[in-house]
Amino acid sequence: RRYSAEDNAEYQFKHHGQEFGAKDIEDFVKKVHGFAKKSGTERFERSNGDVLLYDAKSNIFAVYNSDGAPKTMFKPKGDGAAYWDKQKTETASRSRTTQGQG
């Protein structure tokens, strides 16, 4: 948690706002929160409580912390489904490694 929610929103808007047609930071944040509530998205939870969401139809990937605050939302370049699978695999692998360090 090196950055405030406002700093993160500004960064994410600057880098990904255009992908979603967001006219300003407030519009982008509204879209990010709306995506979290969208039905039909795939969901995967990290051991730290972060929630990963992916919607294959719109090719949108997002991460929210355990409190539901958005961390990122973007459209993966190339094969979004492969990106989603990679995120789940890497997360599961890290979780197994961490659990084995007891």
Side-chain angles (χ1 to χ4, degrees), residues 41-42 94:
T41 58
E42 295 182 61
R94 277 187 298 230

Side-chain angles (χ1 to χ4, degrees), residues 18 42 56 61 64 67-69 73-74 78-79 83:
Q18 191 174 30
E42 295 182 61
F61 173 81
Y64 300 83
D67 295 331
M73 182 174 86
F74 61 92
D79 186 351
Y83 181 84

Side-chain angles (χ1 to χ4, degrees), residues 42-46 50-53 84 87-88 91-92:
E42 295 182 61
R43 176 187 171 100
F44 190 84
E45 191 169 328
R46 292 180 174 153
D50 282 356
V51 176
L52 285 65
L53 298 175
W84 170 245
Q87 293 303 306
K88 292 186 301 182
T91 296

Side-chain angles (χ1 to χ4, degrees), residues 66-98:
S66 59
D67 295 331
K71 294 176 104 174
T72 190
M73 182 174 86
F74 61 92
K75 295 183 178 190
K77 295 188 182 348
D79 186 351
Y83 181 84
W84 170 245
D85 288 340
K86 180 179 176 187
Q87 293 303 306
K88 292 186 301 182
T89 301
E90 288 177 357
T91 296
S93 177
R94 277 187 298 230
S95 179
R96 283 191 299 272
T97 301
T98 302

Side-chain angles (χ1 to χ4, degrees), residues 16-67:
H16 303 294
Q18 191 174 30
E19 296 172 39
F20 300 98
K23 56 185 179 244
D24 55 32
I25 292 173
E26 290 79 19
D27 187 37
F28 181 70
V29 169
K30 187 176 178 182
K31 292 174 186 281
V32 173
H33 283 287
F35 180 71
K37 298 173 185 169
K38 184 179 179 188
S39 63
T41 58
E42 295 182 61
R43 176 187 171 100
F44 190 84
E45 191 169 328
R46 292 180 174 153
S47 60
N48 68 354
D50 282 356
V51 176
L52 285 65
L53 298 175
Y54 179 68
D55 179 60
K57 188 174 184 180
S58 58
N59 189 40
I60 297 174
F61 173 81
V63 179
Y64 300 83
N65 72 19
S66 59
D67 295 331

